[in-house]
Amino acid sequence: MNFSISNTIMASACVAIVFASCGKTDNELPTVCTEVGSETSVLADEIEAIAGTTVTITDVFCDNEELSQVRWDIHNAADHSHAEGEADEGFVLHSGKEWELLETNSLTGTSITSSITFDIPLTARGVWDVVVSLVDEAGNAGTDVVTQMHIENDHLPEFTLSAVDGVDPATWTGEPEWSAGAVVVLEGTVVDSDGVAEASISFVRESDEFVIWELNLTPDNAVEFAFNAEASIPGDAEEGEYHLEMIATDAAGNAMETGFHVEVE
């Protein structure tokens, strides 16, 4: 046996073992370590906000060695959840669903206070997810932290549905399912402090945005207008995804659109 080669291999192996034993690996994840109870933190049960105002969310972020960055992702909470068992907000009629915000900020140190400040548009109403994602200098990604921001809006007309086919939609546990040929009774109100000038309800096929049923309401500038409408689903309606769409314009010209998804069987 060539002892020179053998000794070289053994020496290399020993060096590798030495470096492996001496090397320090950071496997600890960065965290949100804000004091519990802060109402303007991603750890809050819910953040209350008003359309047309400026909101600041502030948190403390921690890591055992060195932080790197935080990403804020704010988007509409309709039709999805971020984790199994996440609390269901229940039936919510959203407006301005297209508004969202994505911002990434650099972080340094082992503990730092960081904020995000943003304006909520006058078109937004409903519930938005606020998601915080952290990464440390070693590349460890922390578990996403999610809370919800409830946006109130007194600027736009507002629809409320008290019953759909005799059932309070607040009791729904998922997307409603309607049958082809059914007549669905919609009971509710549309309100606005300036008076509601125009309002309509329609049932739209999502595959091609074809309107299969539509009703123009006659609010006549009433501050509160109650309606009882019968949505007729054609007997030959295709199975698949649809949405009930409700649109209103107030006497000042402010328009809004809201609604919800429906599965036709």
Side-chain angles (χ1 to χ4, degrees), residues 1-62:
M1 180 177 182
N2 190 323
F3 286 99
S4 176
I5 295 175
S6 177
N7 289 338
T8 300
I9 294 174
M10 290 178 64
S12 299
C14 289
V15 170
I17 292 171
V18 169
F19 275 103
S21 61
C22 294
K24 184 178 181 180
T25 302
D26 176 12
N27 292 318
E28 191 168 325
L29 305 182
T31 61
V32 180
C33 50
T34 311
E35 184 178 349
V36 175
S38 172
E39 296 180 356
T40 58
S41 163
V42 72
L43 296 183
D45 292 335
E46 185 175 76
I47 297 172
E48 297 290 342
I50 300 174
T53 65
T54 300
V55 172
T56 298
I57 300 175
T58 302
D59 277 290
V60 181
F61 305 125
C62 297

Side-chain angles (χ1 to χ4, degrees), residues 7-202:
N7 289 338
T8 300
I9 294 174
M10 290 178 64
S12 299
C14 289
V15 170
I17 292 171
V18 169
F19 275 103
S21 61
C22 294
K24 184 178 181 180
T25 302
D26 176 12
N27 292 318
E28 191 168 325
L29 305 182
T31 61
V32 180
C33 50
T34 311
E35 184 178 349
V36 175
S38 172
E39 296 180 356
T40 58
S41 163
V42 72
L43 296 183
D45 292 335
E46 185 175 76
I47 297 172
E48 297 290 342
I50 300 174
T53 65
T54 300
V55 172
T56 298
I57 300 175
T58 302
D59 277 290
V60 181
F61 305 125
C62 297
D63 187 68
N64 64 315
E65 292 194 359
E66 183 73 14
L67 292 158
S68 176
Q69 68 177 29
V70 56
R71 185 185 71 177
W72 300 88
D73 181 358
I74 301 175
H75 56 264
N76 192 271
D79 308 319
H80 72 279
S81 63
H82 284 268
E84 185 176 352
E86 180 178 306
D88 186 1
E89 184 67 24
F91 180 72
V92 177
L93 289 173
H94 298 83
S95 303
K97 292 171 65 173
E98 69 282 354
W99 176 66
E100 58 185 27
L101 180 66
L102 186 63
E103 182 177 310
T104 301
N105 294 328
S106 297
L107 303 174
T108 57
T110 58
S111 177
I112 188 171
T113 301
S114 182
S115 299
I116 183 173
T117 299
F118 52 91
D119 297 326
I120 299 179
L122 286 173
T123 56
R125 174 190 283 127
V127 179
W128 266 250
D129 285 326
V130 179
V131 185
V132 166
S133 305
L134 289 170
V135 179
D136 68 14
E137 192 66 27
N140 299 309
T143 302
D144 285 351
V145 180
V146 185
T147 191
Q148 292 186 318
M149 180 170 62
H150 198 147
I151 301 176
E152 299 287 348
N153 191 319
D154 295 327
H155 180 71
L156 301 176
E158 182 176 14
F159 275 95
T160 300
L161 285 174
S162 56
V164 177
D165 251 6
V167 177
D168 183 349
T171 64
W172 290 349
T173 56
E175 184 175 278
E177 297 178 352
W178 298 349
S179 301
V183 176
V184 180
V185 180
L186 308 168
E187 300 175 60
T189 59
V190 55
V191 302
D192 189 274
S193 58
D194 295 319
V196 183
E198 299 176 353
S200 65
I201 308 174
S202 57

